[in-house]
Amino acid sequence: MWETLAQAVINGLLIGGIYALVSIGVTLIFGVVKIVNFAQGEFVMIGMYISFFLATQFGIDPLVSLVVSMPVLFLAGVVIQHFLIRRVLGPNDMPQIFLTFALSLLLLNLSLMLFSANYRTVHTSYSDSAWHIGGLYIPVAKLIAFAVAMALSGLLWVFLRTTDLGRAMRAASQNRDVAMLMGINPNRVFAVAFGTALALAGAAGSLLMPFYSAYPFVGQVFVLMAFVAVVMGTLGNVMGALVASLMMGIAESLGIQFVGADSGLIVVFGLLLLTLAFRPSGLGARRGR
Amino acid sequence: MTGDRKPPAINNAAPNQASRTKLNRRKFLAKTGGVLAAGAFGAVPLRGWAADAINIGALYPTTGSMAQIGTGCVAAAKLAVDMVNEAGGIKSLGGAKLNLIVSDVQSDTTVTRTETDRLITGNKLSAIHGCYASALTLIASEVCERAHVPIITGSSSDQLNKGRSYTFTPFARASQFAKAQLQMAKLVSEQAKVAVIFENTAFGTSTSNGLKELAPGEGVEIVMFEPYSAGFTDASPLINKVKASGANTLFSLSYLNDLILIVRTVKQVGLDIAINGGSGGFVMPDFYKNVGKAAEGLQGVAHWNHDVNEDAQKVNAEFRKRTGEFAFEYAGGLVAQTFMLADALERAASADPKKVREALSTLDVSSGYAAMAPGGKVKFGPDGKNVYGRPVGVQWQNADLASIFPKEDARAPLMKT
């Protein structure tokens, strides 16, 4: 019994690491730029395709291709922020919602056209291997993905805490108007935030590639969990999104294991509703607010 | 695509000559059984069914989510038409050639309805084949029934054999697949303990219920019966459950992406279990490309396989030359279907869709490309079902699909995993 339980927790934790990379991106953009990026999942998909093509054309390991997918998506983020998002920032939310939603549909259909609906898989030496410890097993590819995801989250944390730009981003996310009054250049901060968020999505894509198939709709699978984690971990709170993502992963895994294989999402959304009922601002909200 | 059809003689010949031609033809046609009277087509026979190419409609999704298999089907349909034409066309119609008119149904039921309609009204068709995906074929078949154009299909839905008279299904039905799968479980172990996992929408639920009903009769014990939501991110928890159930065979009724994840996870866990992936995406070349060596030894069921007989192997070699892949079940089946149509056209000695339907309903072949199917014989019952149709059990061996079940169709021994 404990073995099954432990295995379920391990499974959930490992996939939770990937949810975390996606949800941290969403929450970062929401916190700083104050828009909801519906296209976040599509950037995960792009990250996967970058890794896929680097692996099949040049034989580059998907994990190594992280150094390509992250900068490429960071640049894409800066460009999108500069030429698209910046134009619709204003008092009205509607254009922003439609912009990112349109971006999502555009990227999805573009990739359908360019890459077709086929599933693309990369095989690495570690793709199907696992470590067996006692009665438990830990898939190598997922463990690496989890470790890198946690390392990247940690790096982001350090960046937000210790650098001027990071502090400026945190300031902007706490109170944008006051931050602007303090002399923070909003365009620069927004561009970096958007680029960083997309780079994280790209990282998630590259990390997924050794054990998951790439196809145009793949982003949608992950973005749903990411949105739940973002709301549960308090909108705009990076640490909250990270913790909530790991919790979601574990809840989903336990749900499948002990309730029923089609109830993973039931457990996840049940947990979300419970959280919101008792802590309406999410788990990461500061007390007294 | 229809531009090469000659306009009616009436329009481009001198007036008196034309009326003479018309009269003569009318007389001729009336004597030969009155094709003219066969329908409300009026002047249609004047366009000359006899000498012109015979139009065969092909409805396949070549764009959208089902495009991959659909494109393969079109390649096979072209190959089949080339084969018939190179062999001299339809001799009873003066060596008339088959002319394939392909229409993209875009993986969408609404488009399928309008495209089938458009194909029938816009062209003089003798027969149609399509659409591979049952959901689409059901719609196309309805339209064909109303328009009185015969449709021949590799789709396996039993629904296609209910209350239809223009629909012909030369291959095994969905209900037969379930039975074959259960019998295959006993190849692995006499005490077959099966875990059934299925995605929780229409496809998985209906197929799994079929398995559950038939299992006791086949002496197979189902130790786990678990629906799951399609499109999961991680198969580990599900496989964890399979492991705990103590099953020695796993039936996975899944869409391709889930199945890839399930197979890879089973290998990671190091679970010693025979996997039967069913049909559909599992028996496609792409499955092996995605799963790689982990696919070796996996079992499935198909309505056609390229090693069933020598003719099939010839078709396979040609298909491989053209596309680089082995002929998958729908591709090979389509070649057989085209030859069934050719056989019917030959006997009907007419391109009239109603006559073609008549000839199809009396089809009885046991040799040649038309009989290239598991069982080796084709004869349609009143429900349009091939009375000899049966599925073939297959296994991935050395990056290829080998037929292993039933004994009569087995071309390779079961590879133990």
Side-chain angles (χ1 to χ4, degrees), chain B residues 126-384:
Chain B
S126 298
I128 285 182
H129 57 69
C131 310
Y132 111 73
S134 287
L136 305 182
T137 311
L138 281 164
I139 308 268
S141 153
E142 277 172 30
V143 180
C144 289
E145 292 286 332
R146 270 202 307 271
H148 299 300
V149 175
I151 179 167
I152 189 163
T153 177
S155 297
S156 62
S157 168
D158 289 273
Q159 201 68 34
L160 287 165
N161 304 102
K162 286 180 186 141
R164 292 163 204 250
S165 54
Y166 278 79
T167 306
F168 295 90
T169 58
F171 300 108
R173 317 313 302 143
S175 49
Q176 294 175 284
F177 279 98
K179 202 167 181 176
Q181 263 182 297
L182 288 165
Q183 289 166 347
M184 285 173 80
K186 289 206 292 193
L187 293 179
V188 179
S189 160
E190 266 309 307
Q191 267 84 48
K193 286 185 193 160
V194 175
V196 181
I197 56 179
F198 54 100
E199 60 86 31
N200 61 356
T201 62
F203 153 67
T205 316
S206 61
T207 319
S208 61
N209 281 333
L211 285 169
K212 202 180 191 178
E213 277 165 28
L214 292 169
E218 297 296 334
V220 171
E221 188 191 350
I222 291 185
V223 293
M224 175 181 165
F225 192 77
E226 185 94 11
Y228 71 86
S229 349
F232 48 42
T233 51
D234 185 13
S236 318
L238 191 58
I239 300 309
N240 221 7
K241 281 192 117 167
V242 174
K243 189 180 175 187
S245 77
N248 53 24
T249 298
L250 171 65
F251 286 178
S252 178
L253 311 170
S254 313
Y255 292 119
L256 192 53
N257 190 41
D258 295 338
L259 188 59
I260 294 169
L261 219 51
I262 286 167
V263 170
R264 294 178 99 172
T265 309
V266 166
K267 299 290 160 184
Q268 279 171 2
V269 177
L271 195 55
D272 182 26
I273 195 167
I275 301 176
N276 193 313
S279 57
F282 176 75
V283 290
M284 296 292 298
D286 221 44
F287 179 78
Y288 196 91
K289 270 196 253 163
N290 273 302
V291 179
K293 284 215 164 57
E296 287 290 331
L298 262 53
Q299 302 170 27
V301 279
H303 67 246
W304 189 90
N305 198 28
H306 55 270
D307 60 2
V308 285
N309 65 23
E310 264 178 40
D311 286 335
Q313 278 164 357
K314 270 188 245 166
V315 169
N316 183 41
E318 187 57 35
F319 189 79
R320 198 187 270 279
K321 210 190 289 171
R322 291 193 180 195
T323 66
E325 311 278 7
F326 67 76
F328 57 96
E329 52 171 347
Y330 287 103
L334 241 172
V335 175
Q337 286 170 44
T338 307
F339 276 89
M340 290 170 209
L341 287 179
D343 183 279
L345 283 160
E346 198 69 74
R347 283 180 296 109
S350 161
D352 178 357
K354 287 182 184 164
K355 299 231 154 143
V356 176
R357 190 213 85 87
E358 286 303 312
L360 271 175
S361 68
T362 57
L363 182 92
D364 190 356
V365 287
S366 54
S367 66
Y369 289 112
M372 176 178 69
K377 286 190 271 188
V378 183
K379 182 180 171 185
F380 294 110
D383 52 1

Side-chain angles (χ1 to χ4, degrees), chain A residues 44-55:
Chain A
V44 176
M45 179 260 294
I46 292 173
M48 290 187 85
Y49 276 110
I50 290 176
S51 289
F52 172 78
F53 283 111
L54 287 177

Side-chain angles (χ1 to χ4, degrees), chain A residues 37-48 73 76-77 80 103 107 194 197-198 201-203 205 219:
Chain A
N37 183 19
F38 287 105
Q40 193 74 5
E42 275 55 60
F43 293 109
V44 176
M45 179 260 294
I46 292 173
M48 290 187 85
L73 278 157
I80 289 170
L103 198 61
L107 292 172
F194 211 87
L198 262 54

